[in-house]
Each structure stands twice: as structure tokens, then as C-alpha cells.
Amino acid sequence: MPLEFWFEFASTYSYPAAMRIERAAAARDVAIVWRPFLLGPIFAAQGWTDSPFNLLPAKGRYMWRDLERRCASYGLPFRRPSRFPRSGVLAARVALAHEDEPWLPDYVRPVYRANFALDRDIADRSEIARLLEELGIAPAPVIARAEAAENKDRLRTRTKFAHKRGIFGAPTLLFGEEMFWGDDRIEDALDWATRHGG
Amino acid sequence: MPLEFWFEFASTYSYPAAMRIERAAAARDVAIVWRPFLLGPIFAAQGWTDSPFNLLPAKGRYMWRDLERRCASYGLPFRRPSRFPRSGVLAARVALAHEDEPWLPDYVRPVYRANFALDRDIADRSEIARLLEELGIAPAPVIARAEAAENKDRLRTRTKFAHKRGIFGAPTLLFGEEMFWGDDRIEDALDWATRHGG
């Protein structure tokens, strides 16, 4: 049974998590699967029209400082985005439409880096196209597949499943019935998976 | 400069934090000061009339499971309280009125244990009296001092200070300008204090 890594491209703590999960899992021989989803509809269902880090300014101020410290401790570059949150919808559609491609993790990481280290607009189609090109992937067919009605539907279904499963934030790690929330629970999740046959 | 440990008796993650902070700090030779305060007025100021773990059921379900796992990993007994949150006002008044007493940590820990391991009602004056008696402390004068108007005012002032300082949850650790939130940030806070002359 693999450890499921549920991530949202707009989510701040998903940035360090996405950057380090693959190496951390490989070091313990735990298989992971990447599960893109959207937090927006889950937040909206509880009446939030914005990120809780914007709705609660004290919590937001703390989060930015905490994230900066954590990225420094991981040796990850970090720059607070000039706009937050940036929509991760297109980025997630691309990820979902290609989640079985071997290049998926190599696509996910640069998208996070663009948002949280380079302050680039990942909601912009040309930015996603540029990132795909840098991977040697022709953007047009990938983006067309991502924006097909069937794939848009699939992302809605995926997000509904996440909501029903009890996911309320990102990143979230699932191992069977067990849930772990946050970059700071990656080690706990990997330990659990190791002890329970992951 | 000591590391300030800000705690609220109703706060779930303050339980493991309060149980382990003294030993963890001593192991690194970091001095700590205990800072009781109330989260209720801070939550109320942002429009919440209950714990976010009750207002957001999915988050609450996760928290109870996560807390159970964390307590198990620390070797701490845990039983989900039959009522949550329980008012920590009296317990905090007692702590604040006696925060310079050498017995303060020996009082704080049993209060948390009563709430989160023994499912006892820490809002009840007779429960606090019983816990004090078990420490060999005559309860009547301690509770009288705690409930004096001057001490009640001091707890209000303390809580206002916490709010102004940007504290939005518990436990919170302060070291100068630097803030760390959560039981899972104790090690980060101690590392920071050690590196910066704590």
C-alpha cells in the first residue's frame, strides 16, 4: 500500500513538502503516489472565500515567518509571493491529467518553486507552458489534455473525494485510514507507513 | 533571555507540550518561563464562539487522532475528554497568581493530566482544590489569591498582551521577537534559543 501525498499548488506548506517528500520516502523505501486536488472548494464549503492565512492576519504573519524558517532549515530557497494565494487550478489540472507520467514529480517541484521561490504567476498559462518546455515537454498537447472537460470533471471528483475523506488542508498524507496533515508530519507519516507495511 | 512558554489549560496540544517542555529545555540548558493566558478572548475577537476544533469538525476529528498518536509517541497517557473545551479560567488564575512559585510546573502538569488523561472537570473549583492538596498545598488561600479582583485583572491584561503580540493559538513559544506555535515546534524553539543565546 503506497503513502498518498495530497497537495494543492496554492498551499504554502505544500511547497517544502513537495520538494522533499520523494527523497524522504525513498530513504525509507516507502512508495508514494501524488494526489493533486483543490482546497478552494473545501474552504468554500465551510464558508471561507479566501485562504485562512488572509482571513486571520495574525496566523498569516506567523505562517510566513515559520515557512521562511523551515525552508531555511531545509536549504530551500524561499521568497514570499507578491500575491497570495495564486490559483493552482491549471497547474493541478495538468498534474491530474498526467499523474501516471514518470515526469510528474519533476513538473510539480518547479511549479512550487515558481510560486514560492521565484514569485512567478503559476495561474498564468504561459508560465505553466514555460515550465513544461524547460522539462523538454511540448506544452500545447499537455495543456489541452489538462483543460479537456473530462479532466476538469475528474479534478472536481477528486476534490469531492478529498473532502468526503476528511481532508481539510494541505499537504495531507494518507495511509489507509490514517491521516497526517502538514509538512511537519511527513516523518510521522513515513514512520507509520514503514511500521504498517508501506 | 529565557524562552517564554505561553499555554492555555483548555488547549489540546498544550497538554503534551506542558508535560515535556521542562525536561526538553533542561536537556539543552535553556531557561523557560511559564506564561498562562486565555485563548477564549483572542478567539472571540475574531468572531469565534467555540474552539476551532468544534467549529470545523473535520479538523477536530483529525486533531483528536493526531493528539492521540503524538501522546502515544511521547509515552503520555491520553483519554479524549468527554467535554471539550473545558474552561481553563480558574486553573489559569491560580497559575498566574503563583507563576513565581517553585511549585508552578508541578501544578500545571497535573491540571493537564486531569483534563486530557483522566477526563476530570478542571473548570470545577473542587477539582483544582483536590489537585493542590495532592501537591501538599492548602487550596483555600491559593484559590482566594487567584480569584482576587487584582489577579483577574492581571489575567485580562496578560491575555491582551498575548493578543497584541500576535499570539493566536497555544502553546506558543516566544524568544524575543521570534514566535513558535505548537507542541511540534518545541524543538525548533529550543534550537533557536540555543543558537541565539538563550
Side-chain angles (χ1 to χ4, degrees):
Chain A
M1 183 161 65
L3 181 63
E4 299 172 34
F5 177 68
W6 289 71
F7 61 101
E8 144 76 78
F9 284 105
S11 149
T12 55
Y13 288 108
S14 293
Y15 164 49
M19 300 309 274
R20 67 196 197 85
I21 183 75
E22 199 168 55
R23 192 180 299 187
R28 302 184 196 213
D29 233 1
V30 172
I32 60 164
V33 289
W34 298 71
R35 290 281 178 258
F37 77 113
L38 298 179
L39 265 180
I42 294 175
F43 286 171
Q46 58 200 35
W48 298 351
T49 54
D50 196 350
S51 162
F53 297 127
N54 290 337
L55 296 172
L56 304 169
K59 195 167 188 172
R61 274 190 300 277
Y62 171 77
M63 178 277 293
W64 290 115
R65 175 60 184 141
D66 185 54
L67 184 64
E68 180 181 41
R69 282 188 312 231
R70 293 186 76 79
C71 288
S73 79
Y74 296 136
L76 285 175
F78 170 73
R79 195 196 306 172
R80 181 172 168 174
S82 52
R83 190 175 162 196
F84 175 80
R86 286 197 174 105
S87 167
V89 174
L90 175 61
R93 285 175 178 161
V94 168
L96 183 64
H98 303 86
E99 64 183 353
D100 297 325
E101 296 287 344
W103 52 261
L104 182 82
D106 295 326
Y107 156 79
V108 169
R109 285 183 288 259
V111 176
Y112 276 109
R113 194 181 300 119
N115 195 3
F116 293 109
L118 302 171
D119 193 21
R120 298 185 67 105
D121 187 4
I122 61 160
D124 186 333
R125 188 174 282 95
S126 66
E127 177 64 18
I128 297 296
R130 195 186 63 78
L131 292 170
L132 288 165
E133 270 167 4
E134 282 180 2
L135 293 172
I137 297 167
V142 161
I143 291 178
R145 197 178 160 194
E147 294 188 324
E150 185 200 48
N151 189 58
K152 289 182 179 178
D153 267 353
R154 214 180 136 218
L155 186 55
R156 277 188 282 268
T157 304
R158 165 69 57 88
T159 296
K160 273 182 203 156
F161 175 87
H163 195 190
K164 209 170 162 185
R165 179 64 187 77
I167 290 179
F168 58 89
T172 291
L173 298 113
L174 297 183
F175 187 78
E177 290 299 299
E178 213 66 30
M179 183 186 296
F180 298 84
W181 171 52
D183 170 68
D184 51 18
R185 291 296 188 277
I186 285 183
E187 281 67 29
D188 287 355
L190 290 170
D191 286 348
W192 187 276
T194 303
R195 285 202 310 275
H196 296 82
Chain B
M1 182 160 66
L3 181 64
E4 300 171 33
F5 177 69
W6 289 72
F7 62 100
E8 144 76 78
F9 284 105
S11 149
T12 54
Y13 287 108
S14 293
Y15 164 50
M19 301 307 274
R20 68 195 197 86
I21 182 75
E22 199 167 55
R23 192 181 298 187
R28 302 184 196 214
D29 233 2
V30 171
I32 60 164
V33 290
W34 297 71
R35 291 279 177 261
F37 77 112
L38 298 180
L39 266 181
I42 294 175
F43 285 170
Q46 57 199 38
W48 297 351
T49 54
D50 196 351
S51 162
F53 296 127
N54 291 337
L55 296 172
L56 304 169
K59 194 168 189 170
R61 274 190 300 276
Y62 171 76
M63 179 278 293
W64 290 115
R65 175 61 184 139
D66 185 55
L67 184 64
E68 180 181 41
R69 283 189 311 231
R70 293 186 76 79
C71 287
S73 80
Y74 297 136
L76 285 174
F78 170 75
R79 195 194 309 171
R80 180 172 169 173
S82 53
R83 189 176 162 196
F84 174 79
R86 287 197 173 104
S87 169
V89 173
L90 174 62
R93 284 175 179 162
V94 169
L96 183 65
H98 304 87
E99 64 182 353
D100 297 325
E101 296 287 343
W103 51 262
L104 181 80
D106 295 326
Y107 156 78
V108 170
R109 285 183 288 257
V111 176
Y112 276 109
R113 196 181 299 119
N115 196 4
F116 293 108
L118 303 171
D119 193 20
R120 299 187 66 104
D121 187 3
I122 60 159
D124 186 334
R125 187 174 283 94
S126 66
E127 177 64 17
I128 297 296
R130 196 185 62 78
L131 292 170
L132 289 165
E133 269 166 6
E134 282 180 3
L135 293 171
I137 296 167
V142 161
I143 290 177
R145 197 177 160 196
E147 293 187 323
E150 185 198 46
N151 189 59
K152 290 181 178 178
D153 266 354
R154 214 180 135 218
L155 185 56
R156 276 189 284 267
T157 303
R158 165 69 58 90
T159 296
K160 274 182 202 156
F161 175 86
H163 195 190
K164 211 170 159 184
R165 179 64 185 78
I167 290 177
F168 57 90
T172 291
L173 299 113
L174 297 183
F175 188 78
E177 290 299 301
E178 214 67 31
M179 182 186 296
F180 297 85
W181 171 51
D183 170 68
D184 51 17
R185 292 294 188 277
I186 286 184
E187 282 66 30
D188 288 355
L190 291 170
D191 285 348
W192 187 275
T194 303
R195 285 203 310 276
H196 296 83

